[in-house]
């Protein structure tokens, strides 16, 4: 990918008509989009006019435009370059490549450039040829970089600072980066230069940290709705995770690109291998792989169609691939922020996408233990436990998942109609009695003089199974032996999961032996009512109804319902796009999104003018590709 994008001169803005009109003009002409989304226009107005902004917007909602449009406007107004601080190299490469396709002069400075390339970028920057320069925080704070900024600033050629992934400045966030703390220096050194800080995940605590640490007290805040309506949330109980995943992939995402998150490196490798053996094109990604392999796998994921990336959370930040059709979690994330950020990587293009997670008893136990065993201080642990609890409540919820997710981010909403619980309201059962039985059985174990037992044995005793272990410990003589034979094993696991999730029971030691927390007393006394989901295993066949439902396979790619002739044109356009992407050495979606191609196939424009009217076709792309597209459409 070229470090410096095409330096094609951008014509001056349309003059009259006010700031809004100028911004719209850039949106139409450069990006080819008909309208701003949500709060974008207000943000662009604030920043282009030289004000500061703090932007909270969910992943995929369109943060980049919020600084790219002001950057172009301010550059056109003779105010020089925008410096974008971003933590990840992949994001810089992606964005600079995409901007090149749009004819916007952008570049990045990072460790992937050799000395000559870096010096060329620096020369371009100082000469005012760049609209946007991307750099990592540690680079921005070097004396060499600051000297360049000084030189620009003296000449009034420092247009804007954009601080992406601003939550990295907060220790309470989940991606803390110490280098971000130094960024307040930018404001101290260049108080006149406007700043825009952007993040997709920030609870109240993190938000306050961003304002404090980046000295954004006077910035206007723009908080968008966190809803991602095109993402369907599904959380299933883990029974046979690999088989469940495979069924999900085959039934709903055959041939789609997606990400499967696992907690450990080993599990990533195992899962990727296993999926490949099952005929799914899957690649591994985790921090333990060497740089070359990691980069190659990531590049393939971005450039090829229909690859599944099996990864730890080391993968994904700054990945802007718009056509990720699903994000699957085989393990429970740490908290809702993480879950929402990871699942938010699905469906950036606005087309239907899935967030699917399998979760079980072991997840609850593991996550609790990881917090307990960590070196952190008590305050931090308490905070982490609170966050985990919120995620567990989401997983166990029988109401709308989205309502809970949005409530977590402080946003009230109503049932969404596009999550598993809305589409297939789960049956519930009154598990109060069962919970009491389980607790008293755990209690009896201890009373009996034993050190405690794990979940498997507990369920055996409750169900009255005479296993070797039961005999060995004389547990068939316990008063609780067989008192729960009428409750299925899956249901018992659900009861235990819930009791652990609610903190009434905890698992200790290497063997995860169960013990009662103080709060268990209230449950034993019958003061706490427990209403549980009937395990999905007992509701087999649920998936079929859903596939037949309104947002099933039919409205996947191609994104719009196309008749046969249009579908053939769509296929021809995709083939053409693959060629063009290869020729320009960029991912296919950088040339045009699926949605744009589908709209071309449907509307079948016959002239360049008509083609320019399609969303996603800006003037540079019209020049570069217009004739070729008309030919494909005419063919
Ligand atoms: P974020 O950084 O918030 O995750 P992006 O900036 O990557 O989101 O934008 C997500 C997608 O939405 C991109 O593919 C972008 O081109 C598209 N997009 C953003 N704003 C608009 C708009 N006003 N009209 C049409 N598409 C848009
Ligand atoms: Zn819902």
């Amino acid at each position: 990918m070229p470090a410096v994008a095409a330096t094609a001169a951008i014509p001056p803005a349309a003059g009259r008509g006010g700031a809004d009109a100028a911004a719209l003009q850039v949106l139409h002409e450069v990006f080819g989009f008909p309208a701003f989304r949500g709060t974008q226009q207000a943000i662009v107005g604030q920043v282009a006019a030289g004000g500061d902004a703090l932007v909270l917007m969910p992943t995929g909602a369109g943060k980049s435009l919020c600084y790219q449009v002001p950057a172009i406007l301010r550059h056109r107004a003779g105010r020089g370059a925008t410096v974008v601080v971003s933590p990840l190299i992949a994001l810089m490469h992606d964005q600079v490549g995409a901007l090149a396709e749009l004819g916007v002069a952008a570049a990045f400075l990072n460790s992937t450039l050799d000395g000559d390339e870096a010096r060329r970028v620096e020369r371009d920057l100082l000469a005012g040829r760049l609209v946007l320069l991307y750099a990592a925080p540690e680079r921005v704070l070097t004396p060499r970089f600051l000297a360049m900024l000084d030189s620009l600033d003296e000449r009034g050629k420092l247009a804007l600072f954009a601080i992406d992934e601003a939550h990295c400045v907060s220790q309470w966030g989940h991606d803390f980066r110490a280098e971000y703390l130094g960024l307040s220096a930018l404001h101290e050194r260049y108080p006149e230069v406007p700043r825009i800080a952007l993040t997709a995940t920030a609870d109240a605590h993190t938000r306050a940290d961003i304002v404090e640490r980046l000295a954004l007290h006077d910035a206007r805040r723009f908080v968008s709705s966190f809803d991602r309506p095109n993402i369907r949330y599904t959380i299933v109980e883990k029974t046979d995770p690999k088989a469940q995943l495979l069924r999900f992939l085959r039934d709903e995402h055959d041939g789609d690109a997606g990400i499967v998150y696992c907690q450990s490196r080993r599990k990533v490798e195992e899962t990727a291998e296993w999926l490949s053996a099952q005929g799914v094109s899957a690649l591994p990604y985790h921090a333990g792989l060497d740089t070359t392999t990691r980069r190659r796998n990531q590049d393939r994921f971005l450039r090829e169609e229909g690859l599944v990336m099996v990864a730890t959370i080391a993968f994904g930040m700054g990945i802007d691939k718009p056509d990720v059709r699903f994000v699957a979690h085989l393990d429970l994330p740490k908290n809702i922020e993480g879950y929402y950020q990871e699942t938010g990587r699905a469906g950036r293009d606005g087309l239907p996408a899935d967030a699917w997670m399998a979760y079980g008893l072991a997840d609850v136990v593991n996550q609790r233990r990881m917090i307990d065993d960590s070196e952190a201080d008590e305050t931090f642990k308490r905070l982490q436990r609170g966050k985990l609890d919120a995620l567990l409540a989401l997983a166990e919820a029988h109401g709308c998942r989205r309502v809970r997710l949005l409530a977590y981010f402080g946003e009230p909403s109503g049932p969404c109609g596009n999550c598993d619980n809305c589409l297939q309201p789960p049956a519930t059962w009154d598990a109060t009695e069962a919970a009491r039985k389980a607790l008293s059985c755990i209690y009896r174990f201890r009373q009996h003089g034993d050190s405690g037992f794990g979940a498997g044995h507990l369920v055996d005793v409750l169900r009255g199974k005479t296993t070797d272990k039961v005999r060995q410990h004389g547990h068939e003589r316990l008063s609780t032996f067989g008192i729960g034979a009428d409750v299925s094993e899956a249901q018992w696991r659900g009861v235990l999961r819930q009791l652990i999730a609610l903190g009434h029971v905890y698992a200790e030691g290497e063997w995860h032996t169960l013990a009662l927390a103080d709060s268990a007393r209230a449950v034993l006394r019958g003061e706490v009512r427990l209403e549980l989901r009937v395990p999905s295993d007992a509701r087999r066949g649920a998936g079929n109804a859903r596939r037949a439902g309104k947002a099933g396979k039919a409205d996947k790619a191609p994104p719009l319902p196309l008749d046969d002739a249009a579908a053939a044109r769509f296929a021809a356009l995709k083939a053409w796009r693959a060629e063009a992407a290869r020729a320009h050495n960029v991912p296919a979606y950088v040339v045009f999104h699926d949605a744009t191609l589908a709209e071309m196939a449907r509307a079948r424009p016959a002239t360049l003018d008509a083609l320019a009217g399609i969303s996603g076709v800006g003037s540079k792309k019209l020049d570069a590709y217009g004739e070729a597209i008309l030919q494909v459409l005419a063919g």
Side-chain angles (χ1 to χ4, degrees):
M1 204 171 293
V4 179
T7 44
I10 295 167
R16 298 178 306 118
D20 279 359
L24 265 175
Q25 151 96 23
V26 167
L27 185 72
H28 295 161
E29 172 203 316
V30 178
F31 296 89
F33 295 141
F36 283 110
R37 282 183 189 160
T39 49
Q40 279 177 335
Q41 181 146 23
I43 297 165
V44 167
Q46 164 81 359
V47 176
D52 293 342
L54 171 59
V55 173
L56 287 98
M57 226 185 235
T59 303
K63 278 184 292 300
S64 330
L65 273 187
C66 297
Y67 57 82
Q68 288 171 348
V69 173
I72 294 168
L73 287 167
R74 288 179 73 79
H75 188 262
R76 285 181 181 185
R79 291 181 181 274
T82 289
V83 174
V84 185
V85 183
S86 160
L88 272 197
I89 291 180
L91 174 119
M92 302 183 198
H93 288 216
D94 246 37
Q95 296 231 339
V96 168
L99 287 164
E101 283 290 308
L102 296 170
V104 179
F108 51 76
L109 275 177
N110 61 37
S111 52
T112 64
L113 301 184
D114 65 30
D116 282 350
E117 292 170 318
R119 271 186 296 280
R120 203 178 67 212
V121 171
E122 291 175 1
R123 267 199 311 278
D124 284 337
L125 174 69
L126 289 169
R129 284 191 288 269
L130 292 182
V131 179
L132 292 120
L133 177 74
Y134 288 78
E138 58 274 19
R139 163 83 59 156
V140 171
L141 298 169
T142 59
R144 184 181 175 93
F145 199 98
L146 289 172
M148 284 197 300
L149 296 186
D150 286 348
S151 155
L152 291 172
D153 188 47
E154 278 158 23
R155 292 176 281 138
K157 295 290 182 191
L158 203 42
L160 171 68
F161 289 116
I163 300 166
D164 206 4
E165 314 286 0
H167 59 276
C168 291
V169 80
S170 170
Q171 256 139 339
W172 300 109
H174 47 107
D175 291 320
F176 174 63
R177 285 170 189 250
E179 319 85 68
Y180 262 68
L181 290 175
L183 291 175
S184 57
L186 293 179
H187 181 54
E188 286 150 24
R189 201 161 169 134
Y190 313 109
E192 304 300 320
V193 178
R195 293 171 303 152
I196 174 171
L198 311 101
T199 176
T201 57
D203 53 26
H205 210 127
T206 310
R207 218 174 280 187
D209 258 8
I210 296 175
V211 169
E212 195 57 40
R213 303 227 164 129
L214 295 177
L216 284 167
H217 307 276
D218 298 329
R220 246 186 92 184
R221 294 184 201 187
F222 298 90
V223 183
S224 306
S225 165
F226 267 63
D227 192 13
R228 295 286 311 281
N230 60 313
I231 298 181
R232 174 178 298 176
Y233 300 95
T234 302
I235 302 178
V236 303
E237 281 121 293
K238 211 183 258 186
T239 48
D240 182 356
K242 279 184 185 158
Q244 287 172 294
L245 174 68
L246 190 64
R247 206 180 319 142
F248 167 70
L249 294 182
R250 287 202 172 137
D251 288 356
E252 321 222 3
H253 290 287
D254 196 21
D256 283 344
I259 306 173
V260 176
Y261 282 112
C262 304
Q263 200 177 311
S264 71
R265 298 171 182 186
R266 214 186 70 206
K267 191 157 167 192
V268 163
E269 305 221 346
E270 274 173 19
T271 309
E273 265 171 41
W274 185 80
L275 282 177
S276 301
Q278 305 300 313
V280 178
S281 319
L283 299 170
Y285 189 105
H286 59 71
L289 294 171
D290 62 85
T291 324
T292 323
T293 311
R294 263 198 338 249
R295 172 139 351 123
R296 192 179 54 230
N297 287 356
Q298 173 168 319
D299 262 14
R300 285 191 57 196
F301 179 68
L302 294 178
R303 278 151 203 263
E304 293 175 27
E305 293 201 28
L307 280 187
V308 175
M309 187 67 105
V310 186
T312 59
I313 53 168
F315 177 76
M317 200 179 179
I319 298 295
D320 276 342
K321 186 175 167 62
D323 55 355
V324 173
R325 291 271 68 83
F326 66 88
V327 169
H329 281 91
L330 279 185
D331 294 303
L332 193 70
K334 282 192 172 37
N335 49 45
I336 290 188
E337 288 93 335
Y339 173 75
Y340 211 58
Q341 193 180 50
E342 285 143 33
T343 55
R345 292 172 186 142
R348 275 181 146 92
D349 53 11
L351 302 175
D354 269 301
W356 182 93
M357 175 162 83
Y359 119 106
L361 184 58
D363 285 302
V364 183
V365 172
N366 285 340
Q367 289 290 3
R368 280 229 185 285
R369 294 260 314 256
M370 262 161 59
I371 297 171
D372 292 345
D373 297 351
S374 80
E375 304 283 308
D377 63 36
E378 245 339 286
T379 323
F380 190 74
K381 284 186 181 177
R382 203 172 322 124
L383 194 90
Q384 299 307 311
R385 285 192 197 104
K387 289 188 173 216
L388 176 59
D389 287 345
L391 180 61
L392 294 175
L394 171 76
E396 299 286 356
H398 11 98
C400 175
R401 309 268 190 205
R402 194 178 313 266
V403 165
R404 274 187 180 263
L405 280 169
L406 293 177
Y408 185 81
F409 295 109
E411 199 177 319
S413 66
C416 73
N418 193 27
C419 71
D420 53 353
N421 287 351
C422 279
L423 290 164
Q424 291 267 311
T428 58
W429 64 293
D430 185 344
T432 313
E433 246 341 277
R436 295 174 66 186
K437 288 177 181 168
L439 293 176
S440 63
C441 193
I442 295 170
Y443 181 73
R444 291 283 183 287
F445 284 159
R446 301 264 167 169
Q447 221 183 18
H448 204 240
D450 293 315
S451 56
F453 293 88
H457 183 67
L458 174 68
V459 173
D460 286 344
V461 171
L462 287 165
R463 291 188 37 83
K465 259 197 191 162
T466 340
T467 63
D468 287 350
K469 198 167 181 181
V470 165
R471 270 195 294 272
Q472 186 190 336
H473 294 276
H475 283 169
E476 71 274 31
R477 292 192 302 276
L478 287 178
S479 59
T480 49
F481 184 75
I483 56 171
D486 54 329
V487 175
S488 78
E489 207 170 306
Q491 277 173 303
W492 274 122
R493 296 190 81 81
V495 172
L496 280 174
R497 208 173 55 228
Q498 185 76 297
L499 287 172
I500 294 174
L502 292 171
H504 301 311
V505 170
Y506 56 96
E508 34 176 38
E510 194 188 342
W511 305 106
H512 296 181
T513 54
L514 302 172
L516 300 186
D518 286 344
S519 65
R521 235 171 266 151
V523 184
L524 275 166
R525 283 199 299 261
E527 289 163 15
V528 178
R529 220 178 84 82
L530 226 54
E531 184 82 16
L532 295 193
R533 303 167 63 96
V534 174
S536 49
D537 245 27
R539 302 186 288 136
R540 217 184 269 287
N544 298 332
R546 142 186 187 155
R547 242 163 288 132
K550 59 178 160 102
K553 230 179 148 131
D555 56 359
K556 250 177 35 182
L560 297 170
L562 299 173
D563 61 29
D564 287 352
R569 288 194 289 275
F570 181 68
L573 285 168
K574 274 179 100 169
W576 165 82
R577 180 180 66 180
E579 283 300 310
R582 247 192 301 283
H584 286 232
N585 195 25
V586 292
Y589 59 79
V590 169
V591 177
F592 285 115
H593 283 188
D594 281 0
T596 304
L597 291 191
E599 180 56 20
M600 288 175 188
R602 199 191 56 74
R604 205 177 183 187
T607 63
L608 287 174
D609 261 4
L611 186 59
I614 283 171
S615 178
V617 185
S619 64
K620 174 79 191 309
K621 288 188 180 171
L622 190 69
D623 285 351
Y625 304 124
E627 294 293 351
I629 290 167
L630 293 182
Q631 256 176 34
V632 174
L633 288 174

